[in-house]
Amino acid sequence: MSDTHWIRTDRLLLRPFQQEDLGRLILLSHDQGFTSQFGSFQQPLDQSMAHAWIDSSNASIQEDGRGHWAILEHGQIVGVASLLDHCLDGDPLSLTTIEYRLAQSARGRGLATEALSGLLEFGVAQLGIQDFYAFISAENAAAKNVAFKLSMTFLKRAFFAGHPVEVFHVRPTHGHPQTRFGRSAESAA
């Protein structure tokens, strides 16, 4: 996969997953708090599931620029940031959503906010997306804090995949945050 889908922020590199990341992805999926009731990681992955997940995500990124990115800090994968289209239960309108998962050791340092800021900028600059949404369970205070730091506002309560969620929305202004696209592997952290 070309590096045109790579996203560089001040501290992070977001890039599509590679098959070489298989072991790290499996470990992350078993990390405490990495799985959730809904979203991309509802259960820990085994080798065949992780392999299929990487292939599916990369095909999606190639097709329409949406999918899952590995979040790398100092060259180590510490999480996943996702830009996906989803529909709320009972609503046929597809919404572009952002989500993240971080290893326990990477939490509390602003990495989720930074990674999702990079994804927002990528979505605006490279894909022309104007509106972004996040579906967050009511008890997930950390994810709500990230949403607020991204200038997202609470929109409504709804259901997604049969689970109650709070829906947040943002229409970012172009040029913020400062991210750099298309960095080569040699210049990546």
Side-chain angles (χ1 to χ4, degrees), residues 8 13 17 22 46 48 52 62 64 69 82 101 128-129 137 141 158-159 163 165 167 171 180 182 184:
R8 165 81 72 192
L13 171 67
F17 276 87
L22 193 72
D46 63 24
S48 65
Q62 280 301 122
D64 66 5
W69 280 259
S82 305
R101 297 286 185 269
I129 300 169
S137 62
F159 285 86
H163 298 279
V165 295
V167 179
R171 179 175 281 186
R180 296 165 291 288
S184 68

Side-chain angles (χ1 to χ4, degrees), residues 28-47:
L28 280 174
S29 77
H30 287 82
D31 195 83
Q32 179 183 351
F34 203 82
T35 58
S36 70
Q37 305 176 340
F38 58 89
S40 301
F41 292 94
Q42 296 178 25
Q43 64 185 23
L45 303 176
D46 63 24
Q47 186 166 350

Side-chain angles (χ1 to χ4, degrees), residues 87-93 159:
C87 296
L88 292 165
D89 292 358
D91 189 345
L93 180 65
F159 285 86

Side-chain angles (χ1 to χ4, degrees), residues 21-79:
D21 301 329
L22 193 72
R24 182 66 180 145
L25 178 60
I26 292 168
L27 285 174
L28 280 174
S29 77
H30 287 82
D31 195 83
Q32 179 183 351
F34 203 82
T35 58
S36 70
Q37 305 176 340
F38 58 89
S40 301
F41 292 94
Q42 296 178 25
Q43 64 185 23
L45 303 176
D46 63 24
Q47 186 166 350
S48 65
M49 292 166 65
H51 181 76
W53 185 89
I54 289 171
D55 286 346
S56 173
S57 178
N58 288 343
S60 178
I61 289 173
Q62 280 301 122
E63 181 180 324
D64 66 5
R66 291 162 172 82
H68 306 281
W69 280 259
I71 302 171
L72 284 82
E73 180 188 36
H74 306 298
Q76 286 280 37
I77 298 175
V78 297

Side-chain angles (χ1 to χ4, degrees), residues 36-40 82 84-91 93-101 116 131-140 143-144 147 152-170:
S36 70
Q37 305 176 340
F38 58 89
S40 301
S82 305
L84 305 164
D85 287 336
H86 288 299
C87 296
L88 292 165
D89 292 358
D91 189 345
L93 180 65
S94 182
L95 304 174
T96 300
T97 63
I98 56 173
E99 70 176 65
Y100 72 94
R101 297 286 185 269
L116 292 180
D131 293 287
F132 297 85
Y133 298 85
F135 303 162
I136 303 172
S137 62
E139 62 276 356
N140 192 340
K144 288 186 208 179
M152 297 185 99
T153 57
F154 173 79
L155 192 62
K156 64 181 178 178
R157 288 181 177 79
F159 285 86
F160 174 64
H163 298 279
V165 295
E166 294 181 1
V167 179
F168 290 79
H169 169 260
V170 68

